[in-house]
Amino acid sequence: MKRLKKKHLSAAAIALLFLCAADLPGRSEVQYAGIAPNPAASARTIIDKRPVVHPDGIKFGAYDPHGDFGTQANVSTEALFLPWEDVDLETLRLADAYAQARGRNLLITVEPWSWDVDWRLTSAELRQKVQRGDYDVNMRAIAQMISQLKSPVIVRWGQEMEDKSGRFSWSGWNPQDYITAYRRMMDIVREEAPGTEIMWSPKGLPGLQDYYPGDDYVDFVGLSVFGLERYDELAHSKHRTFSEALKQGYDLVAGYGKPIWVAELGYEGGDAYMKPWIETATLKQSAFPNLQEVVYFNDRDVHAWPFNLGRPDWRVVESLADN
């Protein structure tokens, strides 16, 4: 049996924030008729596409491995992603210090796998080992470290569980298997790090209700909302606004009566496409009374999108990442 090596997460990116290294191949998709791209509408002159943070609006946070939001004062939450294998948990202290210095909370997404694709288990293997308790020690170590942090912490475990695209090893499980695993992990967090809040975070797709773990295991609901101009043209035959992209998931979870976050937000396209997203992402809207905070995913996507669209670059300033 191979012995897993512990990876030391670089503090060079300002302590933060655990970049996913894996890239899964895109699914083959049936070609939709869509609409032809409009070069004029897709014209791009915006240099910095960060959302406008409205003073009386929704709170704003960011996953920010490049430090583009490092000096921005109106950021409430510092988000990070953490695998539960191959990781140096001491790096969490650096993230905590970074957040503390800026008066921010921490949103820690724990992904139950290794970011090294060579070490990953199949979905069935992962499910079996989680159910058997093999990974309790991993979650306990993370929770014990969280208990030592000074920043307020929200833990988000096994996100987008209803997505059956194959992106994540834990997604698409039988709902009861996922619920049992989620509760098991959050029980460990509550035991080892009392006072830590927990987030249940579906993608926002139909069927997510089957994975709801119960009110006692949810302090916040997190959704994923991304807007990619060309994808909208091909999959929806229209350009969606932030509100349109959020509505399906929001309506599916609003009945739980929990505070709702957009735990991952990103958008990319021409000026005409992005400006409405930039201006409305943190705007209070009567259609979304339970929406409390949006968290921008300030990096390139780690997975390829359908229609051979590659890995969209959500970063608010132009990055030098290769396509």
Side-chain angles (χ1 to χ4, degrees):
M1 180 176 180
K2 293 182 179 178
R3 182 177 179 84
L4 295 181
K5 296 181 179 179
K6 184 180 289 185
K7 289 186 178 178
H8 294 266
L9 301 179
S10 173
I14 320 195
L16 300 173
L17 282 164
F18 311 106
L19 282 168
C20 299
D23 180 21
L24 299 181
R27 294 176 290 143
S28 61
E29 295 284 339
V30 176
Q31 287 294 327
Y32 291 76
I35 57 176
N38 183 338
S42 300
R44 174 72 176 272
T45 64
I46 294 173
I47 298 174
D48 190 328
K49 62 180 182 182
R50 71 186 65 214
V52 173
V53 181
H54 298 275
D56 57 347
I58 305 302
K59 289 183 179 180
F60 177 73
Y63 164 64
D64 188 29
H66 305 283
D68 295 324
F69 293 94
T71 60
Q72 186 166 322
N74 53 5
V75 178
S76 299
T77 298
E78 197 72 46
L80 58 95
F81 290 77
L82 183 73
W84 70 3
E85 292 186 291
D86 313 312
V87 62
D88 178 8
L89 293 179
E90 286 294 323
T91 315
L92 283 173
R93 297 189 194 277
L94 299 175
D96 183 39
Y98 184 90
Q100 274 267 297
R102 290 157 179 79
R104 301 174 184 176
N105 303 320
L106 283 174
L107 172 63
I108 302 176
T109 297
V110 179
E111 297 188 328
W113 62 0
S114 168
W115 283 344
D116 188 334
V117 294
D118 293 332
W119 297 104
R120 287 185 187 164
L121 303 175
T122 66
S123 179
E125 290 170 338
L126 177 63
R127 183 177 66 249
Q128 182 183 46
K129 293 190 72 173
V130 170
Q131 290 174 333
R132 199 168 58 199
D134 292 8
Y135 282 106
D136 288 5
V137 64
N138 301 64
M139 197 68 196
R140 197 169 299 279
I142 292 170
Q144 288 172 348
M145 176 59 73
I146 287 173
S147 72
Q148 301 174 41
L149 304 182
K150 298 178 181 179
S151 304
V153 175
I154 299 171
V155 172
R156 175 178 179 243
W157 184 87
Q159 75 276 19
E160 301 185 5
M161 73 298 297
E162 85 279 24
D163 181 6
K164 295 179 173 60
S165 69
R167 170 178 285 209
F168 296 124
S169 303
W170 58 88
S171 295
W173 286 357
N174 174 280
Q176 191 54 55
D177 288 343
Y178 177 84
I179 290 171
T180 299
Y182 175 92
R183 288 176 176 174
R184 183 181 192 121
M185 297 308 150
M186 293 313 189
D187 282 341
I188 291 172
V189 170
R190 286 173 165 170
E191 178 184 343
E192 299 290 348
T196 300
E197 295 184 290
I198 57 180
M199 177 180 286
W200 174 70
S201 194
K203 189 171 187 175
L205 302 175
L208 66 81
Q209 303 96 317
D210 296 337
Y211 292 86
Y212 188 65
D215 290 347
D216 291 345
Y217 283 87
V218 179
D219 294 315
F220 302 93
V221 174
L223 297 168
S224 300
V225 178
F226 289 93
L228 183 62
E229 181 175 16
R230 187 57 183 148
Y231 177 83
D232 280 1
E233 292 170 352
L234 292 169
H236 301 288
S237 297
K238 60 177 289 188
H239 292 159
R240 297 187 302 167
T241 64
F242 168 75
S243 301
E244 290 170 332
L246 171 62
K247 180 174 172 52
Q248 174 180 265
Y250 182 94
D251 288 349
L252 289 171
V253 301
Y256 298 127
K258 300 290 185 177
I260 297 170
W261 288 32
V262 174
E264 296 185 34
L265 168 70
Y267 44 82
E268 175 60 18
D271 289 1
Y273 180 82
M274 291 195 298
K275 281 180 180 178
W277 286 75
I278 292 169
E279 294 167 359
T280 63
T282 74
L283 190 67
K284 282 188 177 179
Q285 301 183 54
S286 60
F288 310 122
N290 293 343
L291 185 61
Q292 186 177 88
E293 186 160 343
V294 297
V295 179
Y296 196 87
F297 187 92
N298 189 40
D299 199 16
R300 191 175 180 190
D301 205 307
V302 296
H303 301 280
W305 273 49
F307 307 112
N308 296 316
L309 294 176
R311 294 165 48 207
D313 193 351
W314 312 117
R315 190 172 172 185
V316 292
V317 295
E318 185 177 1
S319 80
L320 300 178
D322 295 328
N323 291 326

